[in-house]
């Protein structure tokens, strides 16, 4: 445990952790690779185990240094940090894949110290990403300097709903690469739809689509539903869009997309928590689309290294 | 079609596959059960198959659609690699499985197939697109290609024909096969599969070479002394003796897989990563391989055949003692060849390529040996030239050997290795070669498939060796290496003649 956050000391501790882990293992058993620094900001005091497991899982596809910044609600100013490593077996192999983690705990009034310490802890020459788990922080003035740590901002807008979208769009306009897991949750729907429209027969119907219904369960359409509407509207400018409430067939807000054209209809709908069904007048097929864990959503977002023009346009259209 | 689907998102979605039917000839065979159907099922799990998709299997064995489905389910359960079996996905997948029995030489089969494909197109909305996959004996390729005369015509949907290697057993038969295939299919419809090119590891060579400009200035005769490509197997012929004795290591491995690997290592960068451009560069490289004159074969190629030995306390048969193998077989179970490439980049740099069965271990790698320092600065120099190893299997990765100062007083150098291990750096599942190649064929991307001019150039490179070994006179040279060793002494001598030695992988 370090009571003041000194990057050199933390990095030295990290080296020590690696040396200890390597004892008793074959030389290549703990080989680490690094492709990024991921800064994770959380305010949840109870997510320690889950968060570390998520980050270790994420390491399979995106090896890197994980820096957890835990913001405390303690009345007294506080700042501390320590280092750990989380190891798991590589897919289909016997070798250990270890993820290095630095955890910094701080009260809000020490965020300036966290910022300066984090600058010394990021891996040189590699991308730095900031995952703000508690999206409310984006609206706090004390948190604003922390946003300067990275130019890629990862959030999940679901807890706050559409009210946060203008904030995200503002960041986008200011040059940040914004990634929202609420958009990532649309991928299974969008991809299945895209596959269905690979049929030349269905492609021919696209200009004839006059109405699209988006069926949702719950009180209101979710951010994912709003994103989908904006994305579809950009591709089907002639169509009218309607949100339709319906009973839930699968967890989550989105339940079905119905496309109405003069001579043909297509419905993409949830069957259960793991399956989507595509129904046309001549064929019904099912595809596996289980609900995705947070780590799967993160993995998809981190795989996009450049600008994500489709999402950026959708975000702008959603709040327009 | 690419621009007509506004819902695509290439950054996020995997390569798109249009609706289609895959027709497998030899549907009762090993390749279908072990690789093709498990790979297609795996693609279904990953949601990479189109909504309109079907598989039509054909072979001689009479079987109902349901019996075929049961057989394929058993095969998928047994051979699915690094993945779980999902009942719900199978149920959906199996609905698209159909079967037509018949003799490949009989026109009745093709009539029945035509009728069935029409029904399937209607039932499964495949859009009339058909991918034919020849998983039969190579001797039947021409028969099937001719049988498909009526079906090959692109009436409202595309037609593609996937052909498994070998593409002929020599240059003459390769050309004959080409003529037969081209009777009803044009070159753009032909997909000659070399599964080595579908391996992530081999594709990674392209990423390494053309995504990292620091190596490019060194990638030539000025800095590289020689290249060694090794594909060693620890097993013997494992029940394939009858087939293998007609093929041998030169035909089975070097003429196709390893020359493709060589081409990937040595080709020029293409202007764009597009099928025609990449394949043009591979073909150009293969055409640059210096053809051997008959008199030069002995100095540039070595054949070997393993004899019996005890490996780890266990007696192992020699090749001639394997079941199904002629006791006088002259098959090369080991082949090593020195290839020279006649172009500006590689003139004078030998590419040593070897492949063998019953070697000490299973390993495939490429070793790029750089030239030594031009002038030795340190006394008692023990540093060795830099070595860059591209490991293909079993542990995919990249190693760079360089010299470092040995700790302590004085200035002694010692070689150290810096390793990058693909598997432990990225701990996720990678698609099998067949998954990659099947998606490419369905999507119409032939980048990783072999073109006829590449086949011909490969044969031109090895044909003089095939001829020389086929016309051998004198005493029986085989067996000339013991099972469990790194091959015959003559192979070491081939390298020694140029002042080189085989590395031990």
């Amino acid at each position: 445990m370090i009571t003041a956050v000194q990057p050199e000391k933390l990095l030295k501790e990290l080296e020590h952790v690696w040396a200890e882990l390597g004892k008793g293992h074959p030389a290549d058993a703990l080989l680490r690779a690094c492709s990024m620094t991921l800064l994770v900001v959380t305010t949840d005091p109870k997510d320690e185990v889950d968060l570390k497991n998520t980050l270790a899982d994420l390491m399979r596809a995106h090896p890197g240094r994980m820096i957890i910044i835990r913001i405390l609600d303690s009345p007294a100013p506080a700042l501390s940090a320590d280092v750990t490593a989380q190891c798991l077996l590589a897919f289909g192999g016997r070798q250990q894949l270890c993820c290095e983690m630095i955890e910094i705990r701080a009260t809000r009034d020490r965020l300036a110290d966290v910022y300066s310490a984090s600058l010394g802890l990021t891996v040189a020459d590699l991308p730095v990403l900031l995952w703000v788990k508690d999206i409310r922080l984006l609206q706090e003035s004390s948190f604003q300097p922390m946003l300067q740590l990275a130019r890629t901002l990862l959030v999940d807008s679901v807890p706050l709903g559409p009210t946060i979208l203008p904030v995200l769009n503002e960041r986008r306009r200011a040059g940040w690469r914004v990634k929202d897991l609420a958009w990532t949750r649309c991928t299974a729907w969008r991809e299945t739809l895209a596959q269905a429209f690979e049929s030349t027969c269905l492609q021919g119907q696209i200009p004839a689509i006059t109405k699209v219904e988006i069926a949702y369960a719950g009180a209101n359409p979710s951010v994912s539903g709003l994103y989908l509407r904006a994305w579809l509207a950009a591709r089907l400018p002639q169509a009218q869009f309607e949100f339709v409430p319906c009973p839930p067939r699968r967890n989550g807000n989105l339940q079905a997309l119905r496309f109405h054209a003069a001579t043909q209809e297509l419905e993409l709908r949830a069957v259960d928590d793991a399956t989507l069904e595509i129904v046309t007048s001549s064929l019904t097929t099912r595809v596996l689309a289980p609900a995705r864990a947070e780590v799967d959503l993160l993995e998809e977002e981190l795989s996009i290294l450049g600008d994500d023009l489709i999402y950026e346009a959708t975000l702008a259209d959603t709040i327009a | 079609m690419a621009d007509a689907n506004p819902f695509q998102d290439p950054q996020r979605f995997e390569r798109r596959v249009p609706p289609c039917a895959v027709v497998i000839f030899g549907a009762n065979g090993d390749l279908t059960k072990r690789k093709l159907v498990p790979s297609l099922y795996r693609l279904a799990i990953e949601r990479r198959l189109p909504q309109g998709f079907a598989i039509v299997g054909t072979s001689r064995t009479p079987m109902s659609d349901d019996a075929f489905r049961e057989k394929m389910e058993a095969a998928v359960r047994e051979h699915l690699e690094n993945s779980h079996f999902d009942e719900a996905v199978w149920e959906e997948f199996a609905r698209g499985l159909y079967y037509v029995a018949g003799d490949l030489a009989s026109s009745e089969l093709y009539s029945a197939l035509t009728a069935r494909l029409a029904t399937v197109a209607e039932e499964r909305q495949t859009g009339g697109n058909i991918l034919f996959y020849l998983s039969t004996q190579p001797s039947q390729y021409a028969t099937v290609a001719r049988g498909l005369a009526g079906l090959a015509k692109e009436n409202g949907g595309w037609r593609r024909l996937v052909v498994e290697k070998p593409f002929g057993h020599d240059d003459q038969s390769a050309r004959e096969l080409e003529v037969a295939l081209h009777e009803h299919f044009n070159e753009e419809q032909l997909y000659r599969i070399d599964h080595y090119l579908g391996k992530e590891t081999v594709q990674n060579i392209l990423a390494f070479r053309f995504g990292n400009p620091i190596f490019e200035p060194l990638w030539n005769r000025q800095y590289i002394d020689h290249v060694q490509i090794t594909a060693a197997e620890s097993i013997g012929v494992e029940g394939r003796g009858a087939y293998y004795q007609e093929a041998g290591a030169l035909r089975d491995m070097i003429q196709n897989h390893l020359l493709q690997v060589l081409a990937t290592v040595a080709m020029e960068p293409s202007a764009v990563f597009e099928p025609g451009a990449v394949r043009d560069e591979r073909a150009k490289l293969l055409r640059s391989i210096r053809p051997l004159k008959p008199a030069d074969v002995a100095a540039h190629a070595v054949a070997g055949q393993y004899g019996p030995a005890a490996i780890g306390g266990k007696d192992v048969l020699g090749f001639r003692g394997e079941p199904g193998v002629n006791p006088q077989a002259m098959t090369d179970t080991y082949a090593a060849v020195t290839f020279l490439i006649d172009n500006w980049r590689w003139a004078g740099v030998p590419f040593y390529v070897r492949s063998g069965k019953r070697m000490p271990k299973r390993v495939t790698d490429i070793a790029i040996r750089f030239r030594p320092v031009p002038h030795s600065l340190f006394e008692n120099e023990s540093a060795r030239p830099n070595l860059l190893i591209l490991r293909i299997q079993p542990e995919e990765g990249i190693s760079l050997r360089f010299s470092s100062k040995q700790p302590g007083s004085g200035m002694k150098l010692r070689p150290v290795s810096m390793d990058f291990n693909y598997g432990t750096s990225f701990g996720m599942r990678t698609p099998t070669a067949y998954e990659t190649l099947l998606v490419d064929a369905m999507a119409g991307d032939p980048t990783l498939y072999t073109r006829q001019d590449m086949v011909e150039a490969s044969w031109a490179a090895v044909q003089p060796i095939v001829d020389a070994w086929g016309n051998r006179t004198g005493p029986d040279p085989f067996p000339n290496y013991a099972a469990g060793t790194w091959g015959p002494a003559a192979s070491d001598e081939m390298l020694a003649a140029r002042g080189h030695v085989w590395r031990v992988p």
Side-chain angles (χ1 to χ4, degrees):
Chain A
M1 176 80 69
I2 295 171
T3 50
V5 177
Q6 293 173 281
E8 291 83 2
K9 281 190 179 174
L10 285 171
L11 294 175
K12 203 165 187 176
E13 277 206 3
L14 206 53
E15 285 305 313
H16 181 68
V17 167
W18 279 102
E20 286 297 309
L21 281 170
K23 283 180 185 166
H25 289 279
D28 61 348
L30 290 164
L31 195 138
R32 80 186 141 159
C34 196
S35 64
M36 62 168 183
T37 300
L38 178 61
L39 294 146
V40 189
V41 186
T42 178
T43 55
D44 183 354
K46 296 181 207 144
D47 72 351
E48 190 165 350
V49 175
D50 284 351
L51 179 58
K52 286 188 173 175
N53 285 341
T54 297
L55 294 177
D57 270 349
L58 194 60
M59 175 84 180
R60 291 179 194 272
H62 303 282
R65 177 173 297 165
M66 311 293 176
I67 302 176
I68 300 170
I69 299 167
R70 195 173 291 286
I71 300 180
L72 309 170
D73 275 333
S74 159
L79 182 66
S80 65
D82 58 28
V83 299
T84 53
Q86 192 104 343
C87 299
L88 41 81
L89 289 178
F91 187 92
R94 288 170 300 167
Q95 289 166 309
Q96 294 265 29
L97 192 66
C98 290
C99 167
E100 59 184 29
M101 293 183 196
I102 298 171
E103 181 164 332
I104 302 172
R105 291 166 293 278
T107 46
R108 277 177 166 74
D109 51 355
R110 300 297 298 272
L111 281 177
D113 295 323
V114 174
Y115 170 76
S116 59
S118 299
L119 284 177
L121 291 171
T122 55
V123 180
D125 307 316
L126 288 173
V128 182
L129 296 89
L130 180 65
W131 175 22
V132 182
K133 281 204 59 134
D134 183 347
I135 197 169
R136 291 170 303 177
L137 290 167
L138 292 182
Q139 296 166 314
E140 292 184 17
S141 58
S142 63
F143 189 74
Q144 297 310 305
M146 294 292 290
L147 292 171
Q148 302 302 322
L149 284 168
R151 302 304 284 181
T152 301
L153 178 63
L154 263 157
V155 296
D156 187 345
S157 63
V158 164
L160 280 192
T163 56
I164 197 68
L165 297 186
V167 178
L168 297 184
N169 196 43
E170 198 53 43
R171 285 289 147 198
R172 178 191 71 79
R173 290 175 56 180
W176 267 259
R177 279 186 181 142
V178 177
K179 295 168 180 286
D180 183 357
L181 301 189
W183 170 244
T184 328
R185 287 190 188 88
C186 300
T187 297
W189 293 85
R190 294 196 305 125
E191 189 170 17
T192 307
L193 195 64
Q195 271 292 7
F197 276 95
E198 279 299 293
S199 153
T200 45
C201 171
L202 286 176
Q203 277 174 20
Q205 295 290 319
I206 290 173
I209 294 172
T210 52
K211 186 178 173 187
V212 179
E213 290 175 329
I214 302 174
Y216 67 95
N220 293 299
S222 65
V223 175
S224 299
L226 297 176
Y227 277 147
L228 262 184
R229 182 180 64 178
W231 176 71
L232 286 167
R235 282 146 189 82
L236 304 169
Q238 79 283 4
Q240 288 188 325
F241 286 81
E242 189 180 340
F243 280 107
V244 183
C246 73
R249 286 181 161 197
R250 83 187 250 143
N251 270 330
N253 184 266
L254 203 55
Q255 300 296 319
L257 300 170
R258 294 187 201 102
F259 297 82
H260 303 273
T263 57
Q264 182 133 20
E265 299 207 337
L266 180 143
E267 182 173 7
L268 171 59
R269 66 188 178 203
V271 176
D272 52 37
D273 278 341
T275 317
L276 296 178
E277 190 170 63
I278 310 159
V279 185
T280 63
S281 54
S282 53
L283 183 66
T284 298
T285 55
R286 292 183 170 189
V287 293
L288 193 68
R292 299 166 77 198
E294 189 175 50
V295 66
D296 299 322
L297 304 174
L298 289 166
E299 195 175 304
E300 179 180 325
E301 287 302 333
L302 296 187
S303 298
I304 298 173
L305 302 176
D307 293 328
D308 184 356
L309 299 178
I310 292 179
Y311 169 65
E312 286 174 21
T314 303
L315 173 60
D317 289 349
T318 304
I319 61 165
Chain B
M1 189 186 291
D3 298 323
N5 185 347
F7 303 114
Q8 284 294 346
D9 183 349
Q11 273 191 302
R12 287 177 191 264
F13 307 162
E14 298 281 3
R15 182 192 289 278
R16 69 186 75 177
V17 173
C20 64
V22 176
V23 179
I24 302 175
F25 291 92
N28 206 20
D30 242 22
L31 182 71
T32 304
K33 292 180 202 162
R34 286 176 180 274
K35 299 289 182 191
L36 300 182
V37 175
S39 297
L40 289 165
Y41 170 72
R42 178 66 220 177
L43 293 171
I45 286 184
E46 306 240 332
R47 299 200 311 269
R48 298 192 63 189
L49 293 182
Q51 186 196 9
F53 180 76
I55 298 173
V56 181
T58 80
S59 79
R60 292 172 69 99
T61 316
M63 213 181 329
S64 67
D65 288 344
D66 283 339
F68 181 59
R69 286 167 188 150
E70 277 174 31
K71 206 165 212 175
M72 291 303 110
E73 180 177 351
V76 168
R77 285 181 185 274
E78 188 179 350
H79 299 295
L80 195 60
E81 289 176 30
N82 292 332
S83 190
H84 68 287
F85 184 86
D86 188 293
E87 297 278 359
V89 174
W90 175 260
E91 200 181 307
E92 184 64 34
F93 182 79
R95 259 188 256 162
L97 291 181
Y98 302 85
Y99 184 79
V100 177
D103 184 341
L104 294 175
S106 158
S107 60
E108 287 166 21
L109 169 66
Y110 302 97
S111 303
L113 198 54
T114 305
R116 177 53 76 91
L117 281 166
T119 318
V120 167
E122 185 70 25
E123 277 179 22
R124 301 293 301 175
Q125 298 289 297
T126 58
N129 301 318
I130 306 172
L131 181 77
F132 299 106
Y133 199 113
L134 299 191
S135 177
T136 64
Q137 294 294 324
S139 56
Q140 294 169 314
Y141 289 170
T143 308
V144 180
R146 287 191 186 105
L148 290 171
L151 276 165
K153 293 187 183 76
E154 297 194 328
N155 298 327
W158 50 254
R159 301 287 186 274
R160 295 177 192 135
L161 179 66
V162 180
V163 187
E164 276 278 339
K165 72 142 187 137
F167 314 119
H169 56 269
D170 56 19
D171 57 356
Q172 175 65 27
S173 57
R175 278 195 292 273
E176 287 166 8
L177 176 63
E178 182 214 355
V179 170
L181 295 176
H182 278 165
E183 261 182 57
H184 303 294
F185 293 89
N186 60 44
E187 185 62 26
E188 286 69 40
Q189 292 174 288
L190 291 173
Y191 286 68
R192 296 175 191 82
I193 198 166
D194 184 328
H195 75 269
Y196 250 62
L197 288 180
K199 286 177 183 281
E200 284 270 299
T201 46
V202 176
Q203 293 175 66
N204 203 28
I205 296 171
L206 292 175
F208 178 78
R209 282 196 59 199
F210 303 133
N212 298 288
I214 59 166
F215 295 102
E216 181 54 25
L218 312 178
W219 215 258
N220 55 53
R221 64 189 298 277
Q222 215 177 334
Y223 294 98
I224 291 177
D225 186 64
H226 69 275
V227 177
Q228 296 186 14
I229 300 176
T230 300
E233 290 178 79
S234 55
I235 57 170
V237 289
E238 306 292 304
R240 293 169 66 232
Y243 158 76
Y244 194 82
Q245 71 178 347
E246 302 302 323
L250 183 68
R251 284 189 174 100
D252 194 46
M253 289 296 292
I254 294 181
Q255 184 272 333
N256 38 69
H257 299 322
L258 299 189
L259 279 180
Q260 289 296 334
V261 171
L262 185 153
T264 308
V265 169
M267 66 191 252
E268 295 297 319
S270 57
V272 286
F273 193 69
E274 285 174 1
V278 174
R279 299 205 298 177
D280 282 349
E281 294 302 337
R282 275 211 180 93
K284 252 166 62 185
L285 190 285
L286 289 167
R287 282 197 299 270
S288 305
I289 295 175
R290 184 185 300 172
L292 292 174
K293 294 183 181 123
D296 294 334
V297 170
H300 289 79
V302 173
Q305 188 187 91
Y306 63 86
I311 302 175
K314 188 181 167 195
D315 288 334
V316 169
L317 293 171
F319 176 69
R320 288 172 174 176
E322 298 269 13
V325 173
N326 177 348
Q328 276 86 47
M330 297 297 286
T331 310
D332 49 303
T333 62
Y334 173 96
V337 183
T338 305
F339 289 108
L340 294 166
I341 298 170
D342 287 334
N343 65 21
W344 277 40
R345 187 190 282 264
W346 296 115
V349 177
F351 282 71
Y352 302 116
V353 180
R354 63 177 161 170
S355 177
K357 289 197 174 291
R358 284 269 184 243
M359 308 258 98
K361 65 177 173 184
R362 172 178 168 260
V363 60
T364 302
D365 66 18
I366 301 144
I368 320 270
R369 177 122 180 176
F370 290 88
R371 293 193 183 282
V373 292
H375 167 67
S376 178
L377 196 62
F378 306 109
E379 278 185 40
N380 301 320
E381 173 96 56
S382 57
R384 290 187 238 158
N386 295 123
L387 196 60
L388 179 70
I389 316 249
L390 307 173
R391 299 191 307 271
I392 293 177
Q393 59 186 19
E395 295 287 342
E396 181 192 4
I398 297 165
S399 299
L400 179 64
R401 190 181 75 186
F402 59 98
S403 295
S404 168
K405 181 184 175 298
Q406 189 163 315
S409 59
M411 197 62 181
K412 288 181 183 164
L413 303 192
R414 62 185 292 182
V416 291
S417 181
M418 190 163 66
D419 291 322
F420 167 74
N421 186 314
Y422 204 73
T424 54
S425 297
F426 301 102
M428 57 200 292
R429 180 187 182 276
T430 51
T432 63
Y434 276 95
E435 286 170 42
T436 302
L437 292 167
L438 282 164
V439 165
D440 284 358
M442 291 187 282
D445 180 350
T447 308
L448 299 177
Y449 283 85
T450 310
R451 215 166 50 189
Q452 179 61 24
D453 57 344
M454 294 152 81
V455 172
E456 287 179 16
S458 303
W459 275 118
V462 301
Q463 191 61 42
I465 307 168
V466 171
D467 292 341
W469 290 357
N471 297 326
R472 256 189 222 106
T473 53
D476 181 357
F478 297 145
N480 58 355
Y481 72 98
T485 67
W486 283 110
S491 179
D492 298 330
E493 290 157 13
M494 179 177 81
L495 267 68
R498 294 175 188 271
H500 298 143
V501 290
W502 284 115
R503 49 182 284 276
V504 177

